[in-house]
Amino acid sequence: MGDLSNEGSAGQKLPIPGKRNVLITSALPYVNNVPHLGNIIGCVLSADAFARYCRLRGYNTIYICGTDEYGTATETKAMEENCSPQEICDKYHAIHKQIYDWFDISFDKFGRTSTPQQTEVCQAIFKKVLENNWLSENTMQQLYCDTCQRFLADRFVEGNCPTPGCNYDSARGDQCEKCGKLLNPTDLLEPRCKVCRNSPHIRDTNHLFLELPLLREKLEEYINHMSMAGGWSQNAIQATHAWLREGLKPRCITRDLKWGVPVPHEKYKEKVFYVWFDAPIGYVSITSCYTSEWEKWWKNPENVELFQFMGKDNVPFHTVMFPSTLLGTGENWTLMKTISVTEYLNYEAGKFSKSKGIGVFGNDAKDTNIPVEVWRYYLLTNRPEVSDTLFTWVDLQAKLNSELLANLGNFVNRVLSFIAKDPAVGYGSIIPDAEDAESHPSTKALGEKVGSYVEQYVEAMEKVKLKQGLKIAMAISGEGNGYLQDSQFWKLFKENRSLCSVVMRTSAGLVYILACLLEPFMPSFTVEVLKQLNLPQSQISLSDENADVERARRPWGMLPAGHRIGTPAPLFKELKDEEVEFYREKFAGSQADRKVKADAEAKKISEQLDKTKISADGSTRKGKPAKSAEGKSKASAPLEADISVSRLDIRIGLITKVQKHPNAESLYVEEIDVGEAQPRTVVSGLVKYIPLEEMQNRKVCVLCNLKPAAMRGIKSHAMVLCASNSDGTSVELIEPPEGASVGERVKVPGFEGEPDDVLNPKKKVFETVQPDLWTNKELVACYKGVPFTTSAGVCKAASIQEGSIR
């Protein structure tokens, strides 16, 4: 039985004496909005990549984060949405968690600050600092509203901007949105209470201050030692010393608000702690939610290393204020060893902005067809470590197509596909033996080079140089492609089978090494590669105890001869120019602009519905009357009066497996999950139109109640719906929106009704409905002009306008 001494009462990890114990936090995202890509790379994603690396190395690691929920911004957002602060926090905490789950962020605990534990820990720290006389009282002048009977925090005041030439009449108490100037509420001309719209007046109010000047000696001793020992990033050191040069001043730690941690002091019981004071304490309280033995992590500096990740605007709170607070308690706290700070990720021609809704947000990325491993790769390879970087759709396309698809994906697929070929032309999915690999010069040289790269990777990652670590890992893929090409393995297989075996076993070893090195950056990629290698997730490791780094010098020894691999499949899909233009246009402007556009599209659909009416008057997409039953040949089957699209059982399906039909070159055989216990086998004549790799793992619209039919010896149990142009030279899948659920029924508003169990071929139901199935000029799949609709939006073709659907 293993040693469980590092587990708490509920199985949580605790520090292990004598082992490397790593505590990782990322800046707590504020809860009043949806995080954009700049927030995600600046905090949670960077920390996640490092946490995954630490686990790969065998370090005893926990990663703690959560939503920052107290303060003025939450109260303001609650006013805007006409609900309570707690309801706002509940809503946006769930949104954040959903986005981070999609991004594969591996928190050990993702908590929140509006908890009893936060109040308990925060108040305990405050009492210690108060006992040690590091706090002072002072009087401030603040705006007071007689109507609301409360002091007004900066965001609860608006008025005329005092900046000459600006004259903006709705400037906030902290900043004018028109001219950008930072303000104090008392600077505003003709101030108004944002709640009741009446004019407040200036009044004295008492507050508590943390005496940073008195703590300066203790703080500087910590900064001077730890910034060197922990290898702080240069931007963190510069920002910290700038604060010290300007001279530390007492900082107010209380606020006249209701939503926050109450101050446990008789004189200040109507106030709460300022969010800058209580938010970093959230790291501690969230850990206390993870384990009741949280002090073993947070009051154990001899055995625990604390790494913190954030954007540059958060530096002073973590290098000056939070350490000063902990030092002021006089207790033996685990203070931050290493801080990793990012600059800003900008968007296209401007800046990401939560307040203005500009850029790509976490839920936007989730709703595109671009897989999570691509988003993670792009953000981490573009991580703004030393200067601002720029997100552009064209750059994302270039990195996906040239680096992930043409380099990494191409290498892995070439190796595994060749091994998987039939024994006459490959290795029958069995890893071959590699006798005398070390005596083969180019293989031996490759091993030395890869071993050196892995050492450099570890060195970079230990210094939290994530971008460099990723670049080194990708260089190994480039080396692998060169090695494969130079060996001309396809010729070797016929001319020198034993040497070909050396090349292929070595290359398969490189595939495994890449799966290890890239797991911190693209865990979903690693999961898929291990599946194709037929290896368990638990096998990947870069542990010194197992000499994994040294083993990388012998890539031919990574996988045992005789091991059977799984089924190879393409790992990445090309991002095309038209898709890039689509995304650029879709995410242009602000979220508000996009909402206006979406509302206009919804109105247009509603108008289409009004035109068609529920009765369905028989008009076709061109406005021409449909042929009546009487006008048809007498030989035709009689038509039923109520035949409409509602009789069709169209569902969202996910293609889980696809291969060419063994008896027909033009046909694919797919296994499609349509929400049933078992996937359906479907035969489709799409080989001529859609490449095999583009059929893999994609959502489609599936007609599920056709009568099963045998096609060249294989029975097809459904039909994948496609659009075709007028001459049939182009065919495209009808694609549901990304967020649509597998198994969900596709509906056409105004045509309600239960579908038939099985469409009777003699009744010609599908044949009657099909002439009215078309894509419109906006590419939306429609019946009689009304869109195919799901819970996540409408279904579309990629480029075929006014195409027939069948």
Side-chain angles (χ1 to χ4, degrees):
M1 189 172 179
D3 178 14
L4 302 180
S5 60
N6 70 318
E7 292 189 1
S9 56
Q12 300 92 349
K13 286 177 277 186
L14 295 175
I16 304 172
K19 193 158 184 176
R20 189 169 182 192
N21 302 294
V22 179
L23 171 58
I24 298 169
T25 72
S26 57
L28 306 183
Y30 205 74
V31 80
N32 71 330
N33 220 320
V34 179
H36 57 61
L37 297 184
N39 306 134
I40 290 168
I41 185 57
C43 302
V44 296
L45 179 54
S46 294
D48 181 66
F50 186 68
R52 287 177 177 277
Y53 163 77
C54 289
R55 297 182 193 116
L56 204 58
R57 293 279 287 152
Y59 306 151
N60 185 40
T61 303
I62 64 170
Y63 175 19
I64 301 295
C65 190
T67 41
D68 178 6
E69 302 194 352
Y70 285 136
T72 321
T74 304
E75 284 199 21
T76 307
K77 190 72 172 178
M79 284 172 50
E80 289 174 8
E81 298 197 11
N82 196 28
C83 61
S84 70
Q86 186 64 61
E87 287 172 328
I88 281 291
C89 293
D90 292 345
K91 172 185 173 180
Y92 283 99
H93 174 82
I95 290 171
H96 277 258
K97 181 70 167 65
Q98 186 181 41
I99 288 169
Y100 303 142
D101 284 347
W102 186 81
F103 269 96
D104 281 337
I105 307 298
S106 60
F107 303 114
D108 287 272
K109 179 67 179 178
F110 183 76
R112 52 201 306 189
T113 58
S114 61
T115 62
Q117 291 90 339
Q118 173 74 358
T119 298
E120 182 184 342
V121 175
C122 194
Q123 290 182 344
I125 288 173
F126 164 77
K127 288 174 182 176
K128 282 289 184 184
V129 176
L130 182 65
E131 284 173 20
N132 293 337
N133 297 315
W134 298 115
L135 298 178
S136 62
E137 299 181 68
N138 211 334
T139 302
M140 297 172 65
Q141 288 194 323
Q142 202 167 329
L143 290 172
Y144 185 86
C145 178
D146 288 320
T147 307
C148 298
Q149 294 191 321
R150 64 186 289 184
F151 285 98
L152 301 179
D154 45 23
R155 293 197 183 199
F156 283 106
V157 187
E158 62 181 25
N160 297 344
C161 179
T163 308
C166 179
N167 301 320
Y168 185 53
D169 62 1
S170 296
R172 291 195 321 235
D174 60 345
Q175 187 175 18
C176 174
E177 287 190 320
K178 183 180 177 185
C179 69
K181 186 173 177 62
L182 296 177
L183 302 169
N184 290 312
T186 51
D187 296 334
L188 293 172
L189 306 176
E190 300 179 30
R192 302 177 298 279
C193 171
K194 201 169 180 180
V195 180
C196 68
R197 314 306 295 171
N198 290 327
S199 298
H201 59 89
I202 294 175
R203 184 166 147 180
D204 288 346
T205 177
N206 294 323
H207 283 284
L208 286 166
F209 290 74
L210 179 64
E211 284 290 342
L212 290 178
L214 300 180
L215 286 160
R216 179 171 183 133
E217 187 176 334
K218 290 176 180 287
L219 179 66
E220 284 190 334
E221 182 183 346
Y222 157 73
I223 290 170
N224 292 337
H225 167 68
M226 203 61 88
S227 62
M228 294 295 291
W232 289 12
S233 56
Q234 201 56 41
N235 45 12
I237 293 172
Q238 289 169 353
T240 303
H241 284 288
W243 266 61
L244 295 176
R245 279 195 305 273
E246 287 174 13
L248 296 178
K249 301 175 181 65
R251 298 285 296 190
C252 185
I253 67 166
T254 54
R255 266 201 138 174
D256 291 296
L257 284 176
K258 299 297 182 188
W259 183 243
V261 175
V263 179
H265 190 295
E266 185 61 30
K267 190 175 176 182
Y268 298 95
K269 62 184 180 182
E270 298 300 317
K271 301 179 192 289
V272 299
F273 287 114
Y274 210 147
V275 71
W276 76 257
F277 178 82
D278 95 276
I281 294 172
Y283 302 129
V284 183
S285 75
I286 293 168
T287 309
S288 78
C289 295
Y290 169 70
T291 172
S292 59
E293 299 179 83
W294 60 270
E295 290 188 350
K296 290 184 178 179
W297 284 106
W298 280 99
K299 293 185 179 179
N300 190 3
E302 295 81 12
N303 291 304
V304 175
E305 300 170 56
L306 172 59
F307 289 75
Q308 298 196 292
F309 290 76
M310 69 208 64
K312 63 181 176 183
D313 52 345
N314 252 320
V315 170
F317 300 103
H318 292 79
T319 62
V320 177
M321 298 179 198
F322 186 40
S324 295
T325 301
L326 297 182
L327 289 167
T329 66
E331 296 176 325
N332 192 33
W333 286 93
T334 302
L335 298 178
M336 177 180 65
K337 176 186 176 183
T338 299
I339 182 171
S340 181
V341 177
T342 53
E343 301 292 312
Y344 293 135
L345 176 70
N346 294 320
Y347 179 70
E348 291 283 345
K351 289 188 174 182
F352 279 95
S353 171
K354 274 200 294 189
S355 61
K356 296 176 183 176
I358 293 172
V360 179
F361 287 70
N363 53 342
D364 295 331
K366 182 172 172 287
D367 291 339
T368 65
N369 287 320
I370 300 171
V372 63
E373 58 266 26
V374 176
W375 284 109
R376 284 182 61 115
Y377 176 80
Y378 181 72
L379 290 172
L380 286 159
T381 198
N382 212 19
R383 185 175 185 248
E385 291 183 351
V386 295
S387 61
D388 292 355
T389 57
L390 186 64
F391 173 100
T392 70
W393 287 102
V394 171
D395 189 38
L396 173 67
Q397 178 192 27
K399 284 185 166 61
L400 166 53
N401 292 351
S402 64
E403 297 174 17
L404 291 179
L405 179 61
N407 176 0
L408 178 64
N410 179 56
F411 173 67
V412 174
N413 196 248
R414 286 178 82 191
V415 173
L416 300 188
S417 295
F418 190 76
I419 292 173
K421 285 183 177 181
D422 291 338
V425 288
Y427 290 91
S429 296
I430 303 298
I431 299 291
D433 202 352
E435 296 177 4
D436 302 321
E438 292 193 55
S439 64
H440 183 233
S442 62
T443 301
K444 177 69 172 172
L446 175 71
E448 289 300 322
K449 191 174 285 187
V450 169
S452 177
Y453 273 135
V454 173
E455 287 177 356
Q456 292 171 40
Y457 169 92
V458 169
E459 184 181 352
M461 296 296 284
E462 290 292 332
K463 293 177 180 177
V464 201
K465 294 183 177 179
L466 306 180
K467 204 167 166 179
Q468 186 179 341
L470 178 53
K471 186 177 180 181
I472 292 166
M474 291 297 288
I476 292 176
S477 175
E479 294 290 342
N481 270 316
Y483 172 72
L484 263 190
Q485 200 62 28
D486 291 345
S487 72
Q488 296 189 310
F489 63 94
W490 58 94
K491 287 185 180 178
L492 280 180
F493 185 79
K494 297 175 182 177
E495 299 169 3
N496 189 338
R497 183 74 61 90
S498 62
L499 185 53
C500 184
S501 297
V502 167
V503 170
M504 297 319 295
R505 188 176 174 192
T506 301
S507 298
L510 283 191
V511 170
Y512 168 77
I513 290 170
L514 284 166
C516 290
L517 300 185
L518 291 171
E519 196 276 341
F521 305 98
M522 295 185 290
S524 53
F525 162 84
T526 296
V527 167
E528 179 57 28
V529 171
L530 290 175
K531 180 182 171 186
Q532 294 186 25
L533 284 171
N534 191 25
L535 293 172
Q537 180 77 14
S538 58
Q539 182 159 331
I540 63 165
S541 168
L542 273 180
S543 164
D544 284 339
E545 291 176 13
N546 301 331
D548 290 324
V549 174
E550 184 57 34
R551 283 177 63 225
R553 293 190 180 277
R554 304 179 73 255
W556 52 86
M558 283 293 176
L559 300 177
H563 172 76
R564 177 176 289 276
I565 68 168
T567 305
L571 293 159
F572 301 101
K573 179 184 170 185
E574 181 186 12
L575 187 61
K576 297 176 180 175
D577 291 344
E578 56 267 29
E579 293 175 287
V580 170
E581 284 309 307
F582 170 76
Y583 289 129
R584 284 184 72 178
E585 183 180 343
K586 180 175 180 179
F587 298 112
S590 68
Q591 286 181 315
D593 296 335
R594 295 175 214 160
K595 187 175 186 309
V596 169
K597 187 176 176 182
D599 288 346
E601 288 179 0
K603 185 179 178 184
K604 191 174 179 182
I605 289 171
S606 178
E607 289 170 352
Q608 286 177 329
L609 269 174
D610 291 340
K611 286 178 184 176
T612 54
K613 306 292 185 186
I614 292 178
S615 61
D617 61 6
S619 62
T620 67
R621 71 184 181 104
K622 301 292 186 183
K624 298 173 184 176
K627 291 180 181 178
S628 67
E630 291 79 13
K632 288 198 170 189
S633 162
K634 289 181 181 178
S636 299
L639 296 179
E640 297 182 9
D642 62 346
I643 289 180
S644 78
V645 73
S646 66
R647 301 274 294 272
L648 308 186
D649 182 9
I650 303 173
R651 292 187 232 162
I652 305 301
L654 176 67
I655 300 175
T656 58
K657 185 178 179 182
V658 60
Q659 58 190 18
K660 287 189 177 179
H661 195 301
N663 303 318
E665 290 186 0
S666 64
L667 301 178
Y668 285 131
V669 180
E670 304 116 16
E671 287 187 9
I672 305 181
D673 179 1
V674 291
E676 298 169 337
Q678 297 293 327
R680 293 199 184 198
T681 300
V682 180
V683 180
S684 305
L686 296 173
V687 171
K688 178 180 172 183
Y689 305 102
I690 304 172
L692 181 67
E693 61 270 16
E694 291 186 19
M695 292 286 290
Q696 304 279 357
N697 296 315
R698 68 188 294 176
K699 289 181 182 175
V700 288
C701 292
V702 185
L703 179 57
C704 293
N705 59 343
L706 284 176
K707 186 177 180 180
M711 299 179 72
R712 300 294 293 271
I714 295 178
K715 188 170 281 190
S716 181
H717 294 268
M719 182 170 75
V720 176
L721 294 183
C722 297
S724 61
N725 61 0
S726 57
D727 60 5
T729 57
S730 181
V731 175
E732 295 174 348
L733 293 167
I734 297 297
E735 295 191 85
E738 179 65 23
S741 302
V742 172
E744 174 183 356
R745 189 179 173 201
V746 177
K747 297 182 179 179
V748 178
F751 297 92
E752 282 75 22
E754 289 301 311
D756 295 4
D757 289 336
V758 178
L759 295 175
N760 186 338
K762 294 180 179 179
K763 303 283 187 179
K764 305 263 183 210
V765 176
F766 180 70
E767 290 80 355
T768 304
V769 170
Q770 193 278 323
D772 290 316
L773 300 177
W774 293 87
T775 56
N776 65 16
K777 289 184 178 179
E778 286 76 41
L779 308 176
V780 176
C782 298
Y783 171 70
K784 292 180 180 279
V786 185
F788 281 24
T789 305
T790 72
S791 60
V794 298
C795 305
K796 291 185 172 184
S799 65
I800 296 176
Q801 298 176 324
E802 299 191 327
S804 175
I805 297 174
R806 62 177 66 238

